[in-house]
Amino acid sequence: MRWALVKVCLAVTAMVVLAFAVPLAMVVREMASDRAFSNAERQAATMGPTLSITTDPAQLRRAVESTEMGAAGRMAVHVPAVGGAAAVDVGDGRAAAQAVAETRSLGRATTTGVPGGGSALLQPVALGSGDIAVIEIYVPESEVSNGVTTAWLVLGGVGLALVIGSVAVADRLGARLVRPAERLADAAHQLGEGRLGARVPEDGPKELRSAAVAFNSMADQVVELLANERELAADLSHRLRTPLTVLRLNAASLGDGPAAEHTRAAVEQLEREVDTIIRTAREQRPPTAAATAGCDASEVIRDRMAFWSALAEDEGREVRLAGVDRTVRIPVARPELAAALDAMLGNVFRHTPEATPFAVDVHDAGDAVIVLVSDAGPGIADPDAALRRGNDGARDGSTGLGLDIVRRVAESTGGDVRLGRSVLGGTEVRVWIALDDRARGGDRGARGRRARRRRRGD
């Protein structure tokens, strides 16, 4: 399209230049010729007064030599025989005698070619006796074409400049038209290859801007639909964790026997399948607008604790909340924080005996918010291995996916997750969520992640 537009513009401009330049060149040549012969007529007119006074050859010769043309050898005077006197030719005549006779008989100026090139202007002048004398002015070819070549070169340069300029303008215009279309096609290919972040700048002609707006809107809808689908799969799967936990606890009370073992094995298999679904749904999830909106950590913790309190009451667990009586804003979407809390609380119920107390605390450290989930259980013998389990998924039973979800939520803000011994005697999960657009907490989170990598030997 771009080169087609350039070719069309080139052809049109060339035709326009030729249509105007060729006639203009001919006009320039005619003007140069008219200028040369007009000058010759003026020079011939200077001899008219002399011829009206005298036809004496000596006086005529002096008069001719005193003129510019006569001095240059380009003027001649042809006087016919008057009163029985012989005809007189003064100066350097080049025109044929027949041409001079025809001019005398016609009584008007004529031009004729001369041997060796050039032209001669023959101007008749009436004498006092009534006879006609002829003044001849030689006009060389160089004077007839004086300035024509320069004018033609200028016209050619102007025409070439117009052609080049039109091609450049057409190329820029074509690029302005083609580039947005190429970007749109490239973005469509990227979206088709699964790169959901592909977008098109909304610039260019009105029609292409409309197409870019429509494409970006479509891409946003595709991303939103995929995100909603993944979130729905993850949420539905994660909601199964609580009844599965209750089912596992009930299966543990069935005692021994083949039926009880089969039930417990089926529950464990179902838990592994649910973990796999959650992991698959949450991997490479595209960010949405809600991810940057943030939420009130205290409100989310109170809501999730209301959900888990029923199970805690059934198992006789004492629950303590601290720091949730005031608003604590964090740069984490509500569903993400809820999933992380469910993962940590689910681990408490899964890996500690019944009647084991636990606590959830929230601390606002200024540049970060710290969420602590601690219990009075047996603790974790190898915290590094517990964090790694969320990545390898090669162990039976718990895959550690819950801690992997918590870690990704914290690291998305520049924070990190640390496991240690709680004041209750069991495990403490410390989630560090950085504030201020990750500016101040990012370095701390990065240091924490580098420290963990060194401990793991990655």
Side-chain angles (χ1 to χ4, degrees):
M1 178 180 178
R2 178 177 178 180
W3 289 113
L5 183 61
V6 170
K7 291 177 182 177
V8 169
C9 190
L10 176 61
V12 172
T13 307
M15 288 188 293
V16 171
V17 168
L18 289 176
F20 283 92
V22 172
L24 189 57
M26 300 302 296
V27 169
V28 168
R29 182 174 181 177
E30 291 298 327
M31 291 177 61
S33 177
D34 292 343
R35 183 175 63 249
F37 284 101
S38 295
N39 183 50
E41 290 177 355
R42 287 194 302 270
Q43 294 293 329
T46 60
M47 287 299 298
T50 303
L51 288 171
S52 64
I53 296 173
T54 180
T55 59
D56 181 66
Q59 293 182 2
L60 289 178
R61 184 173 290 105
R62 286 195 297 269
V64 168
E65 292 176 353
S66 66
T67 63
E68 178 183 353
M69 292 295 181
R74 293 169 53 186
M75 178 183 288
V77 178
H78 304 282
V79 180
V82 178
V88 177
D89 293 323
V90 178
D92 299 326
R94 292 179 176 82
Q98 182 180 358
V100 173
E102 290 177 356
T103 302
R104 182 178 291 117
S105 62
L106 291 174
R108 59 182 176 83
T110 61
T111 59
T112 183
V114 298
S119 302
L121 173 68
L122 301 176
Q123 179 69 46
V125 177
L127 300 176
S129 61
D131 295 314
I132 301 298
V134 177
I135 302 174
E136 176 188 342
I137 304 295
Y138 172 64
V139 181
E141 188 64 31
S142 60
E143 187 170 332
V144 173
S145 61
N146 182 31
V148 174
T149 302
T150 302
W152 284 4
L153 290 176
V154 171
L155 286 175
V158 171
L160 182 61
L162 288 175
V163 171
I164 295 175
S166 66
V167 170
V169 171
D171 181 70
R172 292 300 90 199
L173 181 60
R176 184 172 179 268
L177 294 174
V178 172
R179 191 173 295 114
E182 291 177 345
R183 287 198 295 260
L184 182 61
D186 183 64
H189 286 302
Q190 293 183 30
L191 189 64
E193 293 172 356
R195 285 175 278 182
L196 302 181
R199 295 297 184 273
V200 182
E202 299 173 4
D203 57 5
K206 179 180 178 181
E207 294 77 8
L208 291 178
R209 287 201 305 270
S210 300
V213 170
F215 176 85
N216 292 338
S217 177
M218 177 197 69
D220 292 338
Q221 291 179 5
V222 169
V223 171
E224 184 177 358
L225 289 174
L226 291 176
N228 291 338
E229 183 179 348
R230 289 191 180 99
E231 191 63 38
L232 178 61
D235 289 345
L236 291 177
S237 302
H238 209 284
R239 290 178 184 179
L240 296 176
R241 298 294 295 273
T242 299
L244 281 175
T245 301
V246 175
L247 185 60
R248 182 180 59 80
L249 295 175
N250 291 336
S253 63
L254 293 178
D256 298 330
E261 292 298 329
H262 290 164
T263 301
R264 284 191 283 269
V267 171
E268 291 177 357
Q269 177 65 27
L270 184 58
E271 284 183 323
R272 285 194 293 269
E273 294 297 334
V274 170
D275 289 341
T276 301
I277 293 174
I278 297 175
R279 180 189 296 111
T280 303
R282 290 188 178 276
E283 281 181 351
Q284 299 180 352
R285 183 174 55 193
T288 61
T292 59
C295 67
D296 179 8
S298 298
E299 189 273 332
V300 176
I301 291 174
R302 290 195 301 267
D303 177 72
R304 299 317 300 159
M305 287 305 300
F307 173 82
W308 288 95
S309 60
L311 183 59
E313 183 177 355
D314 291 342
E315 294 187 358
R317 296 176 183 268
E318 180 183 353
V319 181
R320 180 179 63 83
L321 288 177
V324 296
D325 53 347
R326 64 185 182 279
T327 300
V328 180
R329 299 293 303 181
I330 60 174
V332 177
R334 178 187 176 89
E336 298 290 338
L337 181 60
L341 287 171
D342 287 343
M344 291 186 289
L345 295 175
N347 284 341
V348 171
F349 282 89
R350 177 181 300 178
H351 300 294
T352 61
E354 295 185 8
T356 300
F358 66 94
V360 179
D361 301 323
V362 179
H363 299 282
D364 189 349
D367 63 342
V369 171
I370 303 173
V371 179
L372 299 176
V373 177
S374 54
D375 61 64
I380 299 177
D382 190 351
D384 289 340
L387 288 173
R388 283 201 303 270
R389 286 185 302 184
N391 295 326
D392 55 36
R395 299 170 183 254
D396 294 333
S398 172
T399 62
L401 178 64
L403 289 179
D404 186 55
I405 294 174
V406 176
R407 176 181 57 79
R408 283 192 288 175
V409 168
E411 291 183 353
S412 69
T413 68
D416 62 358
V417 177
R418 303 175 187 178
L419 300 181
R421 179 68 64 177
S422 71
V423 294
L424 299 179
T427 301
E428 176 186 84
V429 181
R430 179 185 295 264
V431 183
W432 188 288
I433 300 174
L435 302 179
D436 296 337
D437 197 21
R438 312 180 189 178
R440 289 178 290 187
D443 293 340
R444 182 182 290 105
R447 288 195 299 269
R449 289 191 293 274
R450 287 195 294 267
R452 287 197 301 274
R453 293 191 188 101
R454 286 194 297 269
R455 290 195 300 267
R456 298 173 193 168
D458 294 345

